[in-house]
């Protein structure tokens, strides 16, 4: 009898465990911190990783390059592009690391740890420990490359302005006004008549 009760108890316990494992679990919600924009939010957000990679590094991703995250922000108005910024996190191939860090394709200089600090208006996924990366930075550009000291993770970002706008068109000359330095085309009116 005791064996029978133990068997029944184990069967009930097994059934409860089976029910517990079979229940659909709600996915764990990962809190995504919204981006705090310095002024207005961008007028366009692009997330095409291959296109952002190509525009950032002037080459297509190689077979071993795995784009983990990519985002480009653009601010435009009727006159065109005002400013832009992009963010990339890449599991980089040895060829990409050689191209960017060893060959230094963009002429970047090693930067202090402070230069690897958080970037304004970055997506929540663009995070790293400043002590765990080495940073290369352009002296006059917004380009920053942060290479993981352990592994092949690359964090890259750049920002800039749109094309400088030209001077406004000059006002059209008044009809009948002479060119500077030339006599008038007609005689002045004769007021003595």
């Amino acid at each position: 009898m005791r064996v029978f009760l133990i068997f029944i108890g184990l069967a009930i316990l097994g059934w409860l465990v089976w029910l517990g494992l079979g229940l659909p679990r709600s996915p764990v919600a990962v809190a995504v911190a919204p981006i705090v924009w310095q002024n207005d939010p961008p007028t366009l957000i692009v997330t095409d990783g291959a296109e952002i990679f190509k525009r950032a590094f002037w080459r297509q991703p190689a077979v071993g390059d795995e784009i983990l995250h990519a985002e480009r922000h653009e601010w435009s108005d009727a006159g065109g592009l005002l400013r832009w910024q992009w963010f990339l996190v890449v599991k980089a191939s040895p060829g990409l690391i050689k191209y960017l860090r060893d060959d230094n394709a963009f002429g970047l200089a090693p930067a202090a740890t402070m230069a690897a600090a958080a970037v304004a208006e970055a997506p929540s996924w663009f995070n790293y420990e400043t002590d765990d990366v080495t940073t290369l930075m352009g002296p006059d550009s917004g380009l920053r490359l942060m290479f993981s000291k352990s592994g092949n993770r690359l964090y890259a970002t750049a920002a800039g302005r749109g094309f400088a706008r030209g001077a406004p068109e000059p006002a059209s000359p008044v009809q009948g006004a002479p060119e500077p330095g030339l006599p008038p085309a007609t005689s002045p009116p004769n007021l003595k008549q």
Side-chain angles (χ1 to χ4, degrees):
M1 183 72 161
R2 214 177 244 174
V3 173
F4 180 70
L5 290 175
I6 291 173
F7 178 71
I8 296 292
L10 287 175
I12 292 172
L13 182 63
W15 180 69
L16 290 173
V17 168
W18 179 75
L19 281 178
L21 293 176
L23 290 176
R25 293 198 174 17
S26 60
V28 176
V30 177
V32 177
I35 297 174
V36 178
W37 303 109
Q38 292 177 349
N39 293 311
D40 293 327
T43 52
L44 177 66
I45 296 177
V46 178
T47 57
D48 180 352
E51 182 61 27
I52 295 168
F53 185 100
K54 186 173 82 174
R55 290 177 78 176
F57 301 135
W58 303 356
R59 62 193 275 167
Q60 297 288 339
V63 174
D65 297 324
E66 183 182 344
I67 300 168
L68 303 174
H69 300 284
E71 196 166 296
R72 179 179 167 89
H73 306 151
E74 294 182 2
W75 289 262
S76 299
D77 65 7
L81 184 64
L82 298 172
R83 77 179 178 107
W84 55 268
Q85 65 183 166
W86 56 258
F87 301 92
L88 274 169
V89 178
V90 179
K91 196 173 186 183
S93 67
L96 181 61
I97 291 174
K98 180 182 181 310
Y99 172 71
L100 294 175
R101 185 182 62 198
D102 303 337
D103 296 346
N104 199 1
F106 295 103
L108 305 177
T113 304
M114 291 304 292
V119 180
E121 299 180 320
S124 61
W125 48 259
F126 193 78
N127 58 11
Y128 48 85
E129 293 294 326
T130 56
D131 294 336
D132 294 339
V133 295
T134 56
T135 303
L136 294 178
M137 193 171 172
D140 297 325
S141 72
L143 180 59
R144 282 195 253 180
L145 305 176
M146 284 73 67
F147 298 90
S148 173
K149 290 179 182 175
S150 60
N152 58 347
R153 187 75 45 108
L154 166 65
Y155 300 87
T157 184
R161 300 270 173 214
F163 292 111
R165 301 215 167 124
E169 290 290 324
S172 59
V174 178
Q175 285 292 356
E179 291 288 324
L182 296 177
T186 59
S187 300
N190 188 354
L191 298 177
K192 292 184 180 181
Q193 292 182 12

